[in-house]
Amino acid sequence: MLPQKSDEPPFREVYDPKLFVGRDSEIEGIEQWATSAVGPKRLKNVKAPPGYGKTWFLNKIREILDASHGDLFIILAEAEQLTSADSLARWLKSVVEDARKRCSAIREFDPGADSVQTIRALAEDLCTKCSPVRRLILIVDGLDRLSQAQILDVEKHVLEQFWRTECVRILIAMREDAYLQSHVLRPDQQVFYLASLTIAEGTQQLQRRSQHIPNALPLSDLPDLSPYEWTVAGINSFLSLRAAQNRNIAGHPLLTADDLRECRRGVIGRKLTDDLDAVLVTACGLGDTWTLDALAEA
């Protein structure tokens, strides 16, 4: 169930491997990049509009690499964990302790050392002292949710420090209009764009949701929002959960203007995708131009 309107942070559904579909070619490409002995670029920058499933894609990559490649050490970081001295220290302590469970040659976490020293020691130990040597794959989600000043700080004090060790590879997800600022990282990055799901994949995801989530709305009961074809992962999740919630309220329509507005605010942010723009125009009978006030009255 989704909460009623509030000042809570934007909607982000927790990754559930049972609901993940598609992305086969992208996953194969990332797996080859992560495991190949040599490669032209050590940094992959995954780009897509809000709601396209970047976070779930990163979680799926981590799941596959962790399960199938014992010579890798995978670190997944939320960008917000890297933005202050305290949160960065807590994150590094957890990462080092996890690494030491897999390789006793990793130096213990030193609370008196600064983050630069800790990162360099961890990367060096993983890449030279463990048997077998472990390649470190750093996965960072949500860098574009930070301010420009915070991004610069994370790039300089975290990403560039990991980058100094040759066996480290970095995977980052960002909005399509965001970019790295570091002159150290940018020359060695490869950008690829995550497409929306196909209609078949979007349908499959909703079918899995109806099978695995209690009280989820069956696919056959979802409202027809032509021309929107349920192909944008995060928007699919939000609208199907909201429709399931509304179904239990007597006389309440499955989706309302408020629901679409909340989807815009919570999932997409300030920018509407072309797909959802078409939904609003078609579902609410508005013209080519409209305002939120007009939408609320439709």
Side-chain angles (χ1 to χ4, degrees):
M1 292 292 209
L2 287 176
Q4 296 294 338
K5 291 178 15 178
S6 70
D7 294 326
E8 291 298 312
F11 167 79
R12 277 190 282 170
E13 189 176 28
V14 175
Y15 170 70
D16 185 341
K18 296 190 298 294
L19 303 181
F20 189 92
V21 300
R23 311 294 192 203
D24 293 340
S25 62
E26 295 98 328
I27 290 170
E28 182 180 359
I30 293 294
E31 190 171 7
Q32 290 177 351
W33 164 81
T35 57
S36 62
V38 294
K41 304 290 185 181
R42 288 197 292 127
L43 190 150
K44 289 276 191 181
N45 193 342
V46 184
K47 291 196 170 188
Y52 270 52
K54 297 186 294 297
T55 295
W56 278 43
F57 179 72
L58 294 185
N59 276 276
K60 184 65 173 180
I61 292 295
R62 180 192 187 183
E63 176 188 321
I64 290 174
L65 295 181
D66 259 341
S68 305
H69 301 281
D71 58 337
L72 302 179
F73 181 67
I74 318 299
I75 304 173
L76 177 60
E78 291 283 343
E80 291 85 352
Q81 294 176 293
L82 314 177
T83 56
S84 72
D86 288 344
S87 62
L88 178 57
R90 288 193 298 270
W91 178 75
L92 283 172
K93 183 175 186 292
S94 174
V95 169
V96 170
E97 289 175 350
D98 186 28
R100 282 180 53 79
K101 293 175 184 177
R102 309 187 190 197
C103 172
S104 60
I106 301 293
R107 278 167 274 187
E108 292 186 5
F109 177 78
D110 179 0
D114 64 24
S115 62
V116 169
Q117 293 173 308
T118 301
I119 290 170
R120 291 182 182 179
L122 172 64
E124 177 186 341
D125 291 350
L126 282 165
C127 295
T128 63
K129 296 183 179 181
C130 296
S131 181
V133 169
R134 295 178 184 269
R135 173 176 292 169
L136 191 156
I137 309 294
L138 174 63
I139 303 176
V140 182
D141 187 29
L143 194 63
D144 52 8
R145 295 195 294 263
L146 307 182
S147 68
Q148 292 299 308
Q150 288 175 319
I151 291 174
L152 284 169
D153 190 62
V154 169
E155 288 178 341
K156 180 178 179 180
H157 295 105
V158 180
L159 302 185
E160 289 181 10
Q161 303 311 316
F162 278 109
W163 191 252
R164 290 168 59 93
T165 305
E166 283 294 322
C167 85
V168 174
R169 298 192 179 182
I170 300 176
L171 178 63
I172 298 175
M174 308 179 79
R175 295 190 320 269
E176 81 283 16
D177 58 346
Y179 58 91
L180 293 174
Q181 302 178 65
S182 168
H183 296 297
V184 175
L185 301 172
R186 288 178 67 180
D188 206 20
Q189 72 169 325
Q190 182 179 47
V191 176
F192 78 93
Y193 293 88
L194 204 62
S196 62
L197 301 176
T198 66
I199 294 175
E201 289 168 343
T203 301
Q204 183 184 9
Q205 186 184 70
L206 292 172
Q207 287 173 333
R208 290 189 181 186
R209 180 177 302 281
S210 66
Q211 294 166 356
H212 294 290
I213 296 182
N215 302 317
L217 201 64
L219 183 60
S220 59
D221 289 351
L222 284 172
D224 179 11
L225 293 180
S226 177
Y228 181 69
E229 300 285 359
W230 301 95
T231 59
V232 182
I235 299 175
N236 291 356
S237 298
F238 182 97
L239 293 180
S240 60
L241 287 170
R242 182 56 59 88
Q245 178 188 46
N246 291 345
R247 179 184 59 174
N248 298 322
I249 304 174
H252 196 73
L254 284 177
L255 288 172
T256 68
D258 280 344
D259 296 329
L260 296 176
R261 184 190 292 109
E262 183 67 14
C263 185
R264 177 186 186 275
R265 184 193 72 82
V267 180
I268 303 170
R270 293 169 295 177
K271 179 180 175 183
L272 285 174
T273 67
D274 291 340
D275 282 341
L276 193 61
D277 194 13
V279 172
L280 296 172
V281 171
T282 302
C284 301
L286 301 173
D288 292 335
T289 60
W290 46 268
T291 66
L292 285 178
D293 290 339
L295 175 62
E297 296 170 359

